[in-house]
Amino acid sequence: MPLHDNALSPVVREILIPEIEKEVKIFTWGTKLLNKKITPIQTNHFILLAGNTGAGKTAFAFDVAWKNAREGKRVLYLSLEMTRKEILIRGARAYAGITKEEWRDRRAIPEHKKASFKLKMEQ
């Protein structure tokens, strides 16, 4: 039997029911699979990642931040390990598609990737 508005308590009517009608900004986890499996990131949510050294925490967090920023969402990315310059370089590398191997031996970076990197750093 469906509930009618007059059968609901004032708390439910005034506080909880409007939640389903709210327009909320949803942030991506970076992949369709993660977006489907994990509760959406909403405005004012804070996420902490923990794990062993080299597990990919920074790469994952940066990827999530980068993809949301590219969608025009405001993102605050804080790192206790990276300077502002390192964060900008990481973003420009991702934009240009420069791999870790190419970054280690910069002579291996194709010219079109170098141009993309420089463009993004200037922006």
Side-chain angles (χ1 to χ4, degrees):
M1 181 167 117
L3 290 175
H4 299 286
D5 270 357
N6 57 1
L8 300 175
S9 75
V11 170
V12 171
R13 252 194 329 272
E14 293 175 30
I15 298 172
L16 300 179
I17 296 296
E19 284 298 314
I20 201 156
E21 301 296 332
K22 270 187 184 177
E23 288 290 326
V24 294
K25 188 180 290 186
I26 301 295
F27 293 80
T28 181
W29 280 106
T31 70
K32 289 179 182 180
L33 179 62
L34 289 177
N35 287 340
K36 188 175 181 177
K37 296 283 185 184
I38 302 176
T39 301
I41 306 169
Q42 296 181 34
T43 302
N44 299 321
H45 280 199
F46 296 93
I47 293 117
L48 299 176
L49 299 175
N52 293 331
T53 301
K57 299 175 301 292
T58 300
F60 175 73
F62 190 82
D63 186 61
V64 169
W66 185 258
K67 286 177 178 172
N68 282 288
R70 280 193 355 216
E71 289 182 6
K73 297 175 180 122
R74 291 180 60 191
V75 174
L76 174 63
Y77 183 85
L78 301 174
S79 174
L80 300 177
E81 300 172 337
M82 297 170 68
T83 65
R84 180 179 185 270
K85 181 180 176 183
E86 289 169 329
I87 291 170
L88 293 173
I89 288 171
R90 185 104 173 229
R93 273 185 45 215
Y95 173 80
I98 298 171
T99 66
K100 288 181 184 180
E101 292 77 21
E102 290 171 336
W103 193 249
R104 286 185 189 106
D105 179 9
R106 305 217 176 124
R107 295 169 297 174
I109 302 172
E111 288 304 316
H112 71 281
K113 288 185 178 182
K114 286 182 181 180
S116 292
F117 176 85
K118 290 175 183 176
L119 175 68
K120 187 50 75 176
M121 287 299 289
E122 289 173 3
Q123 290 176 346

